Amino acid sequence: MRSRSREPGRRCLLLRPAGGPPGSRWLSGAFGLAPLVVDGEAEALAAIDREPLAAILVAHSAGPAAVASLVAWAGKQQPDVPVVVLGAAGTVQEAVDALHQGADDYLAPPFDAATLLARLRRLAARPATSPGGPPDGTAFTALVGSSPAIRRVLTAIDKISRYKTNVLVLGESGTGKELIARALHARGLRRQQLFVPINCATLGRELLENELFGHEKGAFTGANERKKGLFEHADGGTLFLDEIAEMDPSTQARLLRVLERNQFRRVGGTVKVKVDLSVIAATNRDLEEAIAAGKFREDLYYRLKVVTLHVPPLRERKEDIPALIDAFIADFNQRNDGKIRGISPPAMKLVMEYDWPGNVRELKNAVESAAILASAETIEAEGFSDLGRRRAAAGEAVRAAPPRPLAAGGLVSVPVGTSLADAERELIAATLERYRNRRDAARVLGLGLRTLYTKLRLYRRGGTGGGSAGTA
């Protein structure tokens, strides 16, 4: 995002395809601006050179090249002027594409002056970033692609964002859960208010509660004045709670009360503070498993998961990897004035064969590292040589793992005379060795997940005779 001027110019430039929609009458109501409508990219570039502007609007149908060109030229000639794409279909994919091409905002049809005015005011109110910083669109790079898996995510964002509701985002580490949360907010009904993120795993209970709820003056030593918490800062907007599964149980109880009553007390306070906001929570853990283990409140789980959105791992959307690599290279070139054009076929083959346990984050880091070390405009296979070493190390780890206590065919041998309790314990231990995911193990055993956890707790306490399940 480029730095923003607080005083817009007098005219609003609109680039549309030759003779095509949208019209410009609705522009005259925004700021009382005089619309300047041009029908070609060359005319638009000349207009940016010629006079100060309040905003630059580009019809989506003008094409991604026109958007990227105007963003780059405006960044040089009028860096304080926002570039906004006027959508055609109003889909999430259009919005993501526009932001990734460098636009400052995306306006879905139907268009009106009041909405444009509100958007431009919001852009003007954003804090400035350092020159040469990445455009807003880089935050949505993880959503690049056309695979069925990512299309389902985009469709879900489109549906969910129509409502003011709580959302639970589930997915492995590195899949882009926070980016999904930001996309939900940017597309949603609260988009003109703040998006406030916090990672619940980085703070202890007392610090986290202080950050979330704030405190009153004198609440504790060093509390010399009242402090507003993140719930108050996010009032009207969206609070994003990342790694929600790491939250302390007592803090979970306080969070539940806020979600139930839309009010809370600051630390050390007696006055109830009312808020109206949406909460998006994310985790890479199985919350139902955490509930069964007694580590997460079931009532809070159901309050958070009004809607659940599953983010696919990269190994389930490998057809998106070429598009993701193109996006990462473009971002690298923009930030570093780079000249990388792409990667070679052998390099692409190596990348496509790797499973990417770190998902999109790992891919982005690998591409950036390869781009830095590239000796030409094309990244060769040597740039990803580390992937081969990682695959080899993973294979060695599998081969070095201790043998599982299962005979050929997946059988468990239990001597005659073994008690039913001990036989059950051996069977559970062997099943957990075969099925590392405890939900799958419970399903295979025909047990409820809570029942399985109850038995494991009993085994750890020595509730039955000896056996390997005691360390399961």
Side-chain angles (χ1 to χ4, degrees), residues 20 51 58 195 250 265 270 285 288-289 291 336 338 376 426-427 429 454:
E51 58 185 297
V58 188
F195 175 90
S250 64
R265 292 186 179 93
T270 57
R285 291 179 55 187
E288 291 189 8
E289 185 174 308
I291 291 169
N336 299 282
E426 292 297 328
L427 179 60
T454 299

Side-chain angles (χ1 to χ4, degrees), residues 166-327:
N166 298 333
V167 183
L168 181 61
V169 183
L170 303 176
E172 296 178 8
S173 179
T175 50
K177 295 185 291 296
E178 180 172 347
L179 308 185
I180 297 293
R182 290 183 180 276
L184 283 166
H185 175 78
R187 172 71 175 166
L189 300 175
R190 299 184 185 273
R191 58 184 173 269
Q192 295 188 27
Q193 304 300 322
L194 288 178
F195 175 90
V196 179
I198 185 170
N199 189 316
C200 300
T202 59
L203 300 172
R205 180 184 64 82
E206 293 183 354
L207 286 175
L208 180 59
E209 290 192 1
N210 189 42
E211 285 298 308
L212 289 174
F213 307 112
H215 63 251
E216 295 289 354
K217 181 179 179 180
F220 49 83
T221 303
N224 299 321
E225 58 183 15
R226 172 185 288 175
K227 174 190 172 182
K228 288 185 177 181
L230 297 184
F231 269 103
E232 287 181 83
H233 285 297
D235 189 21
T238 302
L239 178 64
F240 175 58
L241 301 173
D242 197 9
E243 298 196 49
I244 185 71
E246 309 307 317
M247 183 179 285
D248 182 89
S250 64
T251 309
Q252 292 179 31
R254 290 199 66 179
L255 173 60
L256 175 64
R257 287 194 292 272
V258 178
L259 297 181
E260 288 177 337
R261 305 170 188 174
N262 295 319
Q263 61 185 23
F264 63 93
R265 292 186 179 93
R266 300 185 190 95
V267 175
T270 57
V271 177
K272 293 179 180 179
V273 181
K274 293 187 176 182
V275 289
D276 173 24
L277 74 168
S278 294
V279 172
I280 302 176
T283 181
N284 58 11
R285 291 179 55 187
D286 187 326
L287 285 184
E288 291 189 8
E289 185 174 308
I291 291 169
K295 296 179 180 178
F296 200 81
R297 295 181 63 106
E298 185 175 23
D299 43 9
L300 175 59
Y301 172 65
Y302 288 112
R303 278 285 177 179
L304 291 172
K305 65 162 292 183
V306 176
V307 180
T308 303
L309 202 163
H310 294 270
V311 186
L314 187 55
R315 63 182 175 276
E316 293 180 6
R317 47 178 292 218
K318 280 193 170 183
E319 58 266 53
D320 292 334
I321 287 179
L324 285 165
I325 290 175
D326 287 344

Side-chain angles (χ1 to χ4, degrees), residues 138-157:
T138 58
F140 296 90
T141 303
L143 304 181
V144 169
S146 57
S147 66
I150 202 63
R151 285 181 182 274
R152 285 193 292 271
V153 171
L154 293 171
T155 299
I157 291 173

Side-chain angles (χ1 to χ4, degrees), residues 357-430:
N359 294 295
V360 177
R361 182 189 295 128
E362 184 184 9
L363 175 63
K364 183 179 188 298
N365 291 341
V367 171
E368 183 159 345
S369 175
I372 290 172
L373 298 175
S375 56
E377 293 181 343
T378 300
I379 299 173
E380 300 295 339
E382 291 76 10
F384 298 102
S385 59
D386 190 44
L387 299 185
R389 289 194 292 273
R390 292 183 207 173
R391 292 179 65 186
E396 287 297 326
V398 171
R399 287 190 289 274
R404 296 176 180 177
L406 292 177
L411 301 177
V412 178
S413 296
V414 180
V416 175
T418 304
S419 69
L420 285 176
D422 283 346
E424 178 189 65
R425 179 173 179 165
E426 292 297 328
L427 179 60
I428 288 175

